[in-house]
């Protein structure tokens, strides 16, 4: 459902207000809410998880000090209680909470208070503007993700095409950062990053096009709906997801999308734009403080966006791996409002879990795999991924044209009997 | 066009009209900046605003697919190409790359003549406003490409393929020699 429509129908006191005030209100309130409840904590928690996993992989501790335990130990009221009881308060609780959970908040606070340094030779306007463009480009894609059953911030007809288009705003932003810093490493990093994103857009686009062709629509909610059934079963659960449809043929475009997605967000093994041994830190070498954190917010929200697109296009979005009808039947007898909330929560939980799974995979890849060389990176894109993606697109066209979707014999028989 | 819009019921109280004005101002203003600024990189980035403004105007014409295509092709493709060109060909660490002004008089005459013709056409045309509500366009565009305009579509794709092969050939020629 469209958010605006939802607000209109469910908040009756808004009915007497003019349309445009409601619209502006919805836009700003929800943009603010999404930015503050989703993107910023998501980034924060992702950095925490990334550092902990890095610690695990490299056989060391990640951040394990600044957490609720130390917060409890330092607050005046708990200290006073501890003195009163003459022992450590909440010790039994504290030992169960992992340490370091608040590290990201402390880091955020630190970055917020840091001096905003602009290099002397830099182009001040370009230097200051670029983090906003980069973040806006990656953040705008969140508007069309189907976060729950038939629910997205806006139900755009051109959904996935909009995502691809609006995320191309990132490229000029990165080039702006690289050029504005007046630093050769920044410029090379920006160039590499832009070249990489522009190149990998092709296999990514073709892989997504395969799904669009099979679903017959670009609307993300409708793509999700198209994945409810499969193999001739009305409500097929995980079998209906495009990745597992057509006897697993679609796993290839799915993998191509994921590889290309990793390259587009500059994650290892494709993190050449910030190859420390060659380029210091790439296009954000000169950035510090809050502007630097904007680039990182963009990176982590981009990672989540790649996961969310993979989830929506290949893994059924908010659809659960069991047939949807099961929970639908369960919720049918309940109070309609409660059922609505439960259904929303179910969809959101599955969508989030599936999307976040990809973020975790990317984090593991970063700490396990070495980095590609520049020519290997471009070779992989142009000589391997694009030919395979194109071939597979033609194959799937044939599958769609001749209606070769495999149906389970038992299910077909049941459908025939039903008729 | 503004006058026509105002005449056709878009009142000053309508916020959509103000948003339209903002987009139009952004497009025209940044287009002026493209030509006027002395720094070629600034010109390229002003072009970003122009392209984005045009995409916004497409949205006002209910052409959702074209708007997204505009952003994808012009900002994600052409603008990036221009930026690459600018940043790779000139002395990259010199941020005072300047646009030279050549033949100001001739340029002004030609631009003025083009402007007069366009303004005449825009004012004389009887702009027809479609009162029907917006419908999604992507499906119709797809059908038109695969049906009525198939030949033109294929011809364009063959042309692009030829350009692609030519570019690859030019890039590889130096390698062989």
């Amino acid at each position: 459902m469209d958010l605006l429509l939802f607000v209109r129908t469910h908040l009756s006191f808004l009915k007497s207000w003019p349309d445009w005030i409601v619209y502006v209100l919805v836009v700003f309130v929800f943009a603010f809410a999404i930015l503050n409840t989703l993107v910023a904590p998501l980034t924060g928690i992702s950095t925490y998880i990334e550092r902990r996993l890095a610690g695990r992989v490299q056989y060391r501790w990640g951040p394990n000090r600044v957490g609720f335990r130390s917060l409890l130990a330092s607050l005046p009221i708990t200290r006073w209680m501890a003195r009163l009881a003459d022992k450590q308060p909440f010790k039994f609780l504290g030992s169960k909470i992992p340490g370091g959970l608040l590290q990201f908040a402390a880091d955020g606070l630190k970055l917020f208070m840091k001096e905003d340094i602009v290099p002397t030779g830099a182009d001040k306007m370009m230097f200051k503007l670029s983090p906003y463009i980069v973040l806006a480009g990656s953040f705008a894609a969140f508007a069309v993700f189907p976060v729950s059953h038939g629910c997205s911030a806006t139900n755009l007809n051109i959904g996935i095409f909009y995502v691809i288009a609006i995320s191309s705003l990132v490229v000029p932003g990165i080039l702006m950062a690289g050029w504005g810093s007046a630093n050769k490493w920044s410029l090379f990093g920006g160039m590499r990053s832009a070249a990489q994103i522009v190149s990998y857009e092709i296999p990514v686009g073709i892989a997504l096009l395969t799904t669009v062709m099979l679903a017959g629509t670009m609307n993300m909610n409708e793509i999700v709906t198209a994945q409810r059934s499969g193999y001739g079963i009305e409500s097929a659960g995980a079998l209906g997801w495009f990745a597992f449809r057509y006897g697993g043929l679609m796993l290839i475009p799915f993998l191509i999308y994921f590889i290309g997605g990793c390259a587009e967000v500059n994650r290892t093994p494709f993190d050449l734009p910030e190859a420390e041994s060659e380029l210091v830190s790439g296009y954000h070498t000169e950035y510090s403080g809050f502007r630097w954190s904007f680039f990182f917010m963009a990176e982590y929200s981009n990672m989540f966006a790649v996961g969310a697109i993979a989830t929506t296009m290949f893994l059924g979005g908010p659809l659960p791996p069991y047939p949807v009808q099961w929970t639908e039947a369960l919720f049918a007898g309940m109070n309609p409002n409660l059922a609505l909330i439960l259904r929303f929560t179910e969809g959101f939980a599955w969508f989030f879990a599936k999307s976040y799974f990809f973020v975790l995979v990317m984090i593991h890849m970063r700490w396990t795999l070495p980095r590609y060389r520049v020519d290997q990176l471009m070779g992989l894109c142009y000589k391997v991924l694009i030919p395979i993606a194109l071939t597979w697109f033609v194959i799937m066209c044939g599958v769609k044209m001749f209606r070769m979707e495999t149906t389970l014999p038992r299910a077909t028989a049941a459908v025939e009997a039903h008729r | 066009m503004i006058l026509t819009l105002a005449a056709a019921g878009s009142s000053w109280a309508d916020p959509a009209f103000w948003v339209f004005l903002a987009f139009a101002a952004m497009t025209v203003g940044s287009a002026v900046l493209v030509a006027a600024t002395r720094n070629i990189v600034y010109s390229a980035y002003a072009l970003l605003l122009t392209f984005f403004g045009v995409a916004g105007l497409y949205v006002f014409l209910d052409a959702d697919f074209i708007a997204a295509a505009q952003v994808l092709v012009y900002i994600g493709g052409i603008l990036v190409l221009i930026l690459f060109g600018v940043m790779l060909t000139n002395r990259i660490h010199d941020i005072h790359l300047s646009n030279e002004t050549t033949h100001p008089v001739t340029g002004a005459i030609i631009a003025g003549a083009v402007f007069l013709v366009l303004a005449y056409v825009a004012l004389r045309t009887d702009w027809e406003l479609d009162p029907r509500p917006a419908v999604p366009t992507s499906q119709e565009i797809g059908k038109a490409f695969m049906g009525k305009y198939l030949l033109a579509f294929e011809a364009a794709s063959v042309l692009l393929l030829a350009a692609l092969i030519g570019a690859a050939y030019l890039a590889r020629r130096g390698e062989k020699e």
Side-chain angles (χ1 to χ4, degrees):
Chain A
M1 187 186 298
D2 208 315
L3 245 167
L4 191 63
L5 200 72
F6 183 83
V7 169
R8 281 272 176 67
T9 44
H10 287 267
L11 300 176
S12 50
F13 68 92
L14 288 173
K15 269 177 190 148
S16 57
W17 295 19
D19 281 1
W20 69 276
I21 294 184
V22 177
Y23 198 83
V24 169
L25 216 68
V26 165
V27 166
F28 279 96
V29 166
F30 279 94
F32 181 81
I34 290 172
L35 187 62
N36 281 292
T37 61
L38 210 64
V39 177
L42 198 69
T43 310
I45 291 164
S46 299
T47 53
Y48 170 72
I49 290 173
E50 168 134 34
R51 290 164 75 183
R52 287 295 285 209
L53 284 173
R56 258 180 96 86
V57 171
Q58 299 178 335
Y59 203 65
R60 60 179 170 84
W61 293 105
N64 64 347
R65 293 298 161 95
V66 193
F68 289 101
R69 227 180 311 175
S70 46
L71 187 75
L72 287 178
S74 64
L75 283 179
I77 178 143
T78 43
R79 287 175 74 164
W80 174 71
M81 279 166 70
R83 214 171 46 206
L84 216 64
D86 200 23
K87 57 183 170 190
Q88 258 192 308
F90 310 113
K91 200 177 180 183
F92 70 101
L93 187 71
S95 61
K96 287 194 175 53
I97 308 172
L101 258 177
L102 289 176
Q103 182 72 48
F104 76 90
D107 281 346
L109 201 66
K110 180 199 77 173
L111 288 169
F112 193 71
M113 294 192 301
K114 257 190 171 178
E115 189 188 345
D116 182 26
I117 300 169
V118 181
T120 324
D123 189 313
K124 284 196 179 50
M125 194 176 74
M126 294 279 169
F127 185 83
K128 287 182 174 172
L129 199 60
S130 75
Y132 305 120
I133 295 185
V134 172
L135 187 64
S138 58
F139 176 49
F142 279 67
V144 291
F145 290 156
V147 288
S148 186
H149 296 295
C151 174
S152 52
T154 167
N155 194 9
L156 267 189
N157 170 50
I158 50 166
I160 184 66
F161 191 51
Y162 161 81
V163 172
I164 296 174
I166 203 75
S167 42
S168 66
L169 256 186
V170 172
V171 183
I174 287 175
L175 281 172
M176 198 186 238
W179 186 81
S181 300
N183 171 333
K184 58 187 170 200
W185 292 291
S186 295
L187 186 65
F188 284 135
M191 288 279 189
R192 272 190 188 183
S193 175
Q196 186 172 325
I197 295 174
V198 169
S199 305
Y200 275 87
E201 243 169 32
I202 305 167
V204 160
I206 297 170
L208 293 178
L209 193 65
T210 318
T211 304
V212 169
M213 188 259 304
L214 289 173
T217 174
M218 290 193 285
N219 184 323
M220 291 187 111
N221 282 317
E222 285 173 22
I223 288 172
V224 170
T225 317
Q227 298 181 61
R228 279 173 154 234
S229 53
Y231 294 102
I233 311 170
E234 182 84 3
S235 177
L239 284 179
W241 300 351
F242 276 129
F244 307 126
R245 284 263 275 278
Y246 307 101
L249 274 179
M250 282 294 283
L251 281 171
I252 302 287
F254 173 49
L255 276 179
I256 288 175
Y257 173 72
F258 186 63
I259 295 170
C262 284
E264 279 204 89
V265 296
N266 301 331
R267 291 290 296 190
T268 321
F270 309 107
D271 66 338
L272 288 152
E274 41 190 282
E276 297 91 347
S277 50
E278 303 159 26
L279 294 177
V280 189
S281 183
Y283 56 86
H284 50 69
T285 303
E286 297 287 356
Y287 283 86
S288 61
F290 219 59
R291 292 182 205 285
W292 180 84
S293 78
F294 261 47
F295 282 116
F296 269 75
M297 246 145 69
E299 177 170 335
Y300 281 94
S301 67
N302 261 334
M303 278 163 70
F304 186 79
V306 166
I309 295 170
T311 302
T312 311
M313 304 299 282
F314 298 100
L315 291 180
L319 295 175
Y322 44 82
V324 211
Q325 282 170 341
W326 291 4
T327 43
E328 266 174 10
L330 196 69
F331 297 150
M334 291 182 187
N335 175 334
N337 284 328
L338 183 68
L340 190 77
I341 293 169
L342 280 177
R343 221 171 118 62
F344 178 84
T345 317
E346 186 209 13
F348 185 75
W350 279 112
F351 178 78
F352 196 85
K354 282 189 260 183
S355 306
Y356 210 80
F357 168 76
F358 289 102
V359 178
L360 291 180
V361 171
M362 278 189 242
I363 290 174
H364 273 101
M365 271 164 53
R366 174 168 180 188
W367 298 102
T368 334
L369 297 176
R371 179 181 294 138
Y372 265 96
R373 231 170 44 210
V374 179
D375 57 325
Q376 290 172 331
L377 175 92
M378 289 299 170
L380 177 72
C381 175
Y382 286 106
K383 291 178 189 162
V384 181
L385 292 183
I386 292 179
I388 296 179
L390 273 174
T391 318
W392 228 266
F393 180 68
V394 175
I395 291 175
M396 294 318 290
C397 278
V399 168
K400 166 120 178 167
M401 234 166 86
F402 299 111
R403 295 195 173 75
M404 288 199 298
E405 180 162 10
T406 43
T407 50
L408 296 178
R410 203 155 44 89
T412 331
V415 170
E416 288 299 322
H418 187 71
R419 277 180 190 155
Chain B
M1 194 154 160
I2 292 168
L3 292 177
T4 346
L5 263 174
S10 292
S11 69
W12 296 97
D14 187 2
F17 185 60
W18 287 98
V19 179
F20 167 78
L21 277 188
F23 268 109
M26 185 171 106
T27 313
V28 176
S30 57
V32 168
L33 202 66
V34 172
T37 179
R38 307 277 297 171
N39 187 327
I40 195 161
V41 177
Y42 284 179
S43 292
Y45 279 107
L47 205 57
L48 185 146
L49 284 183
T50 315
F51 289 150
F52 208 75
V54 172
L57 295 184
Y58 281 135
V59 172
F60 271 93
L61 294 171
D62 295 328
D64 49 359
F65 186 83
I66 306 287
Q70 163 85 13
V71 173
L72 181 66
V73 173
Y74 281 89
I75 294 180
I78 292 176
L79 183 74
V80 172
L81 199 68
I82 291 174
L83 285 172
F84 263 80
V86 168
M87 290 178 182
L88 283 177
T89 48
N90 279 291
R91 285 162 297 144
I92 46 178
H93 25 262
D94 177 17
I95 55 172
H96 299 290
L97 309 165
S98 61
N99 291 353
E100 267 183 71
T101 310
T102 47
H103 307 293
V105 181
T106 337
I109 291 170
I110 294 173
V114 172
F115 174 77
L116 279 180
V117 171
L118 287 180
Y120 178 75
V121 172
L123 288 176
R124 282 301 294 269
T125 311
D126 185 18
W127 293 101
E128 193 185 330
L129 287 175
D130 196 343
R132 288 171 299 177
V135 283
T137 55
S138 47
Q139 223 161 13
E140 292 306 311
I141 291 173
K143 277 177 190 159
F145 268 150
M146 283 294 129
K148 198 174 168 191
Y149 302 106
L150 184 62
L151 185 66
F153 182 65
E154 290 299 328
S157 60
V158 168
L159 182 72
L160 287 176
L161 185 67
L164 209 64
I165 294 171
Y169 175 73
L170 286 179
R172 293 201 65 129
R173 200 171 52 178
E175 221 169 84
K176 278 177 196 160
E177 278 164 7

